[in-house]
Amino acid sequence: MTYCLGISTKAGLVMASDSRTNAGYDQVNVCRKMHTFVQRGERVFILLASGSLSCTQSVITQLQRDFERGEGLAAVTSLYDAARIVGAQVRRVSDMDREALERDDFKFNVHFILGGQVRGEPPDLFLIYPQGNPLRASEDSPFLQIGECKYGRPILDRGIRYHKTTLEEASKYALLSLDSTMRSNVTVGPPIDLLAYSTDEFDITRRRRFAADDADLVKIGTRWEQALRMAVGKLPELRFRAPDGAGRAAGESIQIVEAGSGDPQEPQPQATQRGTS
């Protein structure tokens, strides 16, 4: 299992991935899932991979060979065309390996997230399915995930806004999304790769790998947990109404009231107005 995500904002892109390829009682393997293709000043691509490791490695190898020859990703004029190039390589590997895999009851299962920019075009973000077809992120849905998505999605849904979220904020959301996933699923784990790309930069200058014992990564996870507990403490209170003599609660048995307020069912004293002499 794995977890990778890409976030698109007006300021640029944030890409993040874990590095765990399998987890069990006896063995944990690690492999980098973030791959970059850069022609400084002209184009930048960041590719995140999930699924069968042997199949994703074959796709990456084919893309790298073409890129070094000035073909494929090195020649496209838009991110959509780049996503189609990745999809074509996915289908090529599928044609080579799918039949043998399925003969032994293994599924051909690979997903990619492609982010980046080609000169003359704005940054863009795509998800490429095992069939090779791409899905583009949008301003209304500005992030994409692959792998173990469910644990890390809620914070992204609540926090990411295409026009308002800065790269720094998006990077924190990405780390928290990964932290939440690692906390709930042992098959996702460090090292964590994080990359931030600024619009029209055409180079990769903001990148970091966080090991499991990285003090900064531990600090972010600890402070996030503390902040969650404090936030819950500041929410309106839930009050449980005591049952009457017959063991039944009158009306709704659970009420939500602001902290420090009195019982809403208790009559409130009426203000009296003194007459003037």
Side-chain angles (χ1 to χ4, degrees):
M1 187 54 73
T2 188
Y3 179 45
C4 305
L5 73 152
I7 300 172
S8 175
T9 76
K10 189 176 181 180
L13 303 168
V14 170
M15 313 288 283
S17 62
D18 82 316
S19 300
R20 184 161 293 174
T21 59
N22 72 286
Y25 292 111
D26 300 320
Q27 185 177 15
V28 173
N29 289 335
V30 170
C31 184
R32 190 182 297 271
K33 301 169 188 176
M34 179 182 291
H35 309 272
T36 59
F37 303 79
V38 180
Q39 289 178 342
R40 289 185 177 85
E42 290 297 325
R43 65 192 64 222
V44 168
F45 303 110
I46 307 102
L47 193 61
L48 310 179
S50 78
S52 168
L53 184 58
S54 64
C55 293
T56 58
Q57 286 180 342
S58 292
V59 172
I60 296 297
T61 298
Q62 299 288 350
L63 291 170
Q64 288 174 335
R65 286 177 177 176
D66 289 346
F67 191 79
E68 291 168 1
R69 291 195 294 255
E71 302 171 358
L73 295 179
V76 297
T77 57
S78 71
L79 252 292
Y80 174 77
D81 292 337
R84 281 294 180 185
I85 290 291
V86 175
Q89 293 293 359
V90 169
R91 286 191 290 270
R92 182 180 178 186
V93 173
S94 173
D95 290 341
M96 291 188 292
D97 295 337
R98 182 187 294 271
E99 183 178 351
L101 288 169
E102 293 181 349
R103 189 165 54 241
D104 290 330
D105 297 324
F106 290 98
K107 290 183 62 177
F108 180 81
N109 178 32
V110 297
H111 291 79
F112 291 91
I113 293 177
L114 175 69
Q117 185 179 14
V118 177
R119 181 168 292 282
E121 296 282 329
D124 221 333
L125 187 67
F126 286 88
L127 186 154
I128 296 96
Y129 291 100
Q131 295 76 21
N133 54 310
L135 170 71
R136 181 177 180 269
S138 67
E139 293 183 10
D140 294 324
S141 300
F143 63 87
L144 296 170
Q145 304 166 282
I146 54 177
E148 182 56 270
C149 302
K150 57 183 178 290
Y151 302 108
R153 184 182 179 94
I155 187 172
L156 302 177
D157 281 330
R158 290 181 178 273
I160 300 298
R161 299 294 180 267
Y162 177 83
H163 289 285
K164 296 182 179 180
T165 305
T166 66
L167 285 182
E168 292 80 5
E169 290 170 339
S171 298
K172 286 193 283 187
Y173 278 116
L175 288 176
L176 292 175
S177 181
L178 277 155
D179 177 80
S180 298
T181 305
M182 291 188 295
R183 186 65 179 266
S184 299
N185 191 326
V186 70
T187 65
V188 176
I192 300 301
D193 287 305
L194 178 69
L195 185 152
Y197 172 78
S198 181
T199 299
D200 294 333
E201 188 173 18
F202 298 108
D203 200 359
I204 293 177
T205 61
R206 303 173 184 89
R207 184 172 186 173
R208 180 166 174 179
R209 169 165 267 214
F210 296 88
D213 58 352
D214 187 290
D216 292 331
L217 185 64
V218 173
K219 182 191 302 182
I220 286 175
T222 301
R223 291 193 180 179
W224 173 238
E225 185 171 324
Q226 293 170 346
L228 275 177
R229 296 181 188 278
M230 291 177 62
V232 170
K234 293 179 180 179
L235 291 175
E237 294 180 357
L238 271 68
R239 293 185 181 175
F240 305 137
R241 183 179 296 280
D244 58 19
R248 299 185 300 270
E252 295 291 343
S253 59
I254 299 178
Q255 295 178 312
I256 299 178
V257 299
E258 292 296 335
S261 64
D263 188 333
Q265 298 301 315
E266 292 181 357
Q268 301 296 316
Q270 299 294 320
T272 57
Q273 184 176 356
R274 291 172 175 265
T276 57
S277 56

